[in-house]
Amino acid sequence: MTAAHALPPPRLSVPAAQPSLARLVGIGKTYGTGENAVDALKNATLDIRPGEVMMIEGPSGSGKTTLISILGLLLTPTTGEVWIEGKNVAGLGERELPGLRARNFGFVFQGFNLFPALTALENVAMAIQMKDPRARDPKGEARRLLEIVGLGPRVHHLPADLSGGQKQRVAIARALGGNPPILVGDEPTAALDTKTALSVMELLRELASTAGRAVVVVTHDPRLERFADRVVRVEDGLIQSIDSAPSAARSTP
Ligand code: ADP
Ligand code: MG
């Protein structure tokens, strides 16, 4: 098989107005082999556009985490292409992936995953340093990012002294380290009460709208759809639909 050197045309119902930040083409993922094989994802094709909030919805076990993990280069697909920075990176190994991952993605998870012994500022500064060991002023940059997510007054708090919503804001600031074009979140609001979940989504919405950054969020919660430009429904390993959400009018000229 020869790899094309240009992005393949998207097979989508709605044409992309701008070049994609990332594109998945015909992605399949099978866990295990033989009798134990599970086809977690089948022939998934998806593009991620600058400035959009994409929500991925579906029942438990439908393949959402598999899909977003392959997009974020955390998991290698069994078949298909992953286009990032103009090339198909699906076949690359662990030598090349960490750099691509760090340049292109920020990750936010349900459980926040903060270091309990580090302050908010230190958590974010450490992530900045890990992404770029030559970063000039990791603490200054961490403070700037914590201010963006509304945690300016609490930069020296330990995670234990922050609410769930505040911890998730620290995690979002951390994900913003290095200014990656795509934020991905696997159920980032699942551990939060409704009001807090809505305010975290509002922040993610703002981060997408202001910087041309894409936000891709897996969620169980249809109430969050109002923050989305597009909603992807996954069922039994298949992308059933990719719909423009009613709220998309806001970000479309
Ligand atoms: P979701 O996030 O929608 O709940 P997942 O992507 O986690 O779905 O899982 C999709 C399917 O793949 C499920 O049937 C799940 O049990 C299976 N699966 C996920 N991870 C693994 C793994 N590491 N090994 C084997 N099966 C897995
Ligand atoms: Mg999951």
Side-chain angles (χ1 to χ4, degrees), residues 8 29 31 41 66 83 87 105 116 169 203 207 224 240 245 252:
K29 179 68 183 180
Y31 293 108
L41 207 57
T66 302
W83 289 81
K87 53 183 188 285
F105 297 97
R169 283 168 189 272
L203 169 63
L207 290 172
L224 302 184
Q240 294 291 351
T252 314

Side-chain angles (χ1 to χ4, degrees), residues 29-32 36-41 56-69 75 186-187 218 220 234 236-237:
K29 179 68 183 180
T30 304
Y31 293 108
N36 299 320
V38 177
D39 292 325
L41 207 57
I56 300 175
E57 294 188 2
S60 184
S62 57
K64 305 182 297 297
T65 294
T66 302
L67 178 62
I68 204 167
S69 302
L75 187 66
D186 195 351
E187 314 220 20
V218 167
H220 263 106
V234 186
D236 201 19

